[in-house]
């Protein structure tokens, strides 16, 4: 009997410790909730982590920790906690909240396809959640617009590339035509210079020929004049007598 009494006392002590441990993690959650409502997100995070350290399977503490992290814009860490909470939570309504918040994080990062999947999981758990249904419809519209914008950007880039390509080709053809015209002009200029030089040479030659002709004519005229004078001097002069009036 005495041995049995010891066993009974030990069992009661174990149950008492378990009850104190359960109270402790709930107390930490309550303290975290008070800090959360005062918008003291970091303090709330600390209390929720203490609660989880007491009971790692406390889905409420895990979910609340995700909310505190999300309010501090620690989105990647918050996603881990929401995912863990969705696996731990047995209540479908509370599980839907985890999926809903996961969708909100994805939506804020414009990852609309992933957000749609999270919202659909939330509606499977709670089909009556109108806020989730609205976010789902919004994300589908945003995803459609996103795809359309990407397609428009792609088309614009292709158009710009083609435009630049055509412009480069046009510039290349224009440069080619300019070079061709330049070569043609250079050739015409060279021919003109050549013709001018030839004309100048011809003019110089004509001037030289004219000078020689004039010189020859002057020499010939001088010769004729000299010959006439010699002829006149060789003839006898007639003696002229003055008349006596």
């Amino acid at each position: 009997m005495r041995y049995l009494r010891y066993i009974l006392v030990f069992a009661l002590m174990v149950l008492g410790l378990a009850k104190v441990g359960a109270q402790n993690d709930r107390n930490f959650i309550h303290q975290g909730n008070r800090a959360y409502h005062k918008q003291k997100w970091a303090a709330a995070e600390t209390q929720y982590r203490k609660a989880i350290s007491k009971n790692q399977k406390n889905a409420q503490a895990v979910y609340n920790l995700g909310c505190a992290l999300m309010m501090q814009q620690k989105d990647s860490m918050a996603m881990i906690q929401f995912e863990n909470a969705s696996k731990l939570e047995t209540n479908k309504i509370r599980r839907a909240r985890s999926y809903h918040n996961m969708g909100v994080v994805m939506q804020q990062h414009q990852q609309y396809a992933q957000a749609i999947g999270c919202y659909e999981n939330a509606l499977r758990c709670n089909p009556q959640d109108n806020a989730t249904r609205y976010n789902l419809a919004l994300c589908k519209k945003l995803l459609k617009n996103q795809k359309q914008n990407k397609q428009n950007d792609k088309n614009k880039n292709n158009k710009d590339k083609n435009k630049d390509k055509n412009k480069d080709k046009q510039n290349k053809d224009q440069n080619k035509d300019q070079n061709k015209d330049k070569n043609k002009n250079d050739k015409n200029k060279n021919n003109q210079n050549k013709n001018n030089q030839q004309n100048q040479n011809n003019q110089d030659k004509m001037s030289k020929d004219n000078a020689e002709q004039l010189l020859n004519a002057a020499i010939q005229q001088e010769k004729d004049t000299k010959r006439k004078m010699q002829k006149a001097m060789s003839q006898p002069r007639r003696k002229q007598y003055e008349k006596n009036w």
Side-chain angles (χ1 to χ4, degrees):
M1 271 310 275
R2 187 175 180 180
Y3 178 75
L4 182 60
R5 186 183 303 170
Y6 288 147
I7 294 176
L8 181 60
V9 171
F10 179 78
L12 291 174
M13 290 176 63
V14 171
L15 291 174
L17 290 173
K19 185 175 181 181
V20 172
Q23 289 176 348
N24 283 339
D25 73 339
R26 286 199 299 270
N27 288 337
F28 285 131
I29 291 176
H30 292 323
Q31 293 174 14
N33 289 344
R34 285 195 292 269
Y36 188 93
H37 291 148
K38 294 179 181 179
Q39 299 183 0
K40 297 180 180 180
W41 320 121
E45 175 188 349
T46 300
Q47 297 302 320
Y48 294 141
R49 289 190 183 278
K50 289 180 180 179
I52 294 172
S53 67
K54 294 294 182 180
N55 183 6
Q56 295 182 355
K57 293 184 178 180
N58 189 323
Q60 188 64 38
V62 175
Y63 170 81
N64 288 1
L65 175 59
C67 292
L69 291 170
M70 185 171 68
M71 297 305 296
Q72 298 177 78
Q73 298 182 351
K74 300 177 181 179
D75 293 342
S76 59
M77 298 173 64
M79 286 292 293
I80 295 174
Q81 300 305 322
F82 289 139
E83 186 175 358
N84 292 338
S86 67
K87 295 176 181 178
L88 293 171
E89 187 60 70
T90 57
N91 184 286
K92 288 186 176 181
I93 302 299
R94 290 196 291 267
R95 189 188 305 162
R97 295 174 185 172
S98 295
Y99 287 126
H100 176 91
N101 285 358
M102 291 170 67
V104 170
V105 173
M106 293 292 97
Q107 182 176 344
Q108 289 176 346
H109 289 272
Q110 297 183 358
Q111 298 178 359
Y112 301 122
Q114 294 87 334
I116 289 172
C118 294
Y119 289 140
E120 288 176 346
N121 287 334
L123 288 175
R124 291 188 185 99
C125 297
N126 183 14
Q128 305 303 322
D129 190 345
N130 291 328
T132 299
R133 184 175 290 104
Y134 172 82
N135 285 4
L136 175 61
L138 179 61
C139 280
K140 287 182 177 180
K141 182 178 180 180
L142 293 174
L143 179 61
K144 183 178 179 181
N145 293 340
Q146 187 182 62
K147 290 180 178 179
Q148 185 63 42
N149 291 335
K150 286 183 178 180
Q151 185 63 37
N152 292 338
D153 292 339
K154 184 177 179 180
N155 294 336
K156 183 179 179 181
N157 290 335
N158 291 334
K159 185 178 180 180
D160 291 340
K161 287 180 180 178
N162 292 331
K163 184 177 180 179
D164 292 339
K165 186 176 180 180
N166 293 332
K167 186 175 181 180
D168 291 339
K169 184 178 179 182
Q170 184 178 0
N171 291 335
K172 187 176 180 180
D173 293 339
Q174 185 176 0
N175 291 333
K176 186 176 180 180
D177 292 338
Q178 289 178 351
N179 292 332
K180 186 176 180 181
D181 293 339
K182 183 179 179 181
N183 293 333
K184 185 177 180 180
N185 291 333
D186 291 342
K187 185 177 180 180
N188 292 334
K189 187 176 180 180
N190 292 333
N191 291 333
Q192 185 177 0
N193 291 335
K194 186 176 180 180
N195 292 332
N196 291 337
Q197 186 65 35
Q198 187 174 0
N199 292 333
Q200 185 65 35
N201 293 335
N202 292 334
Q203 290 178 1
D204 293 342
K205 185 177 180 181
M206 290 176 65
S207 297
K208 185 177 180 180
D209 293 341
N210 290 337
E212 290 179 353
Q213 290 177 0
L214 293 175
L215 180 59
N216 291 333
I219 294 172
Q220 185 64 37
Q221 185 177 5
E222 184 179 357
K223 287 181 179 181
D224 292 341
T225 301
K226 189 176 181 180
R227 188 168 50 252
K228 290 179 179 179
M229 290 178 64
Q230 289 177 353
K231 184 178 180 182
M233 291 176 64
S234 61
Q235 292 179 359
R237 295 183 179 180
R238 294 180 180 178
K239 191 175 180 180
Q240 296 180 357
Y241 299 98
E242 292 180 1
K243 294 181 177 181
N244 189 5
W245 296 99

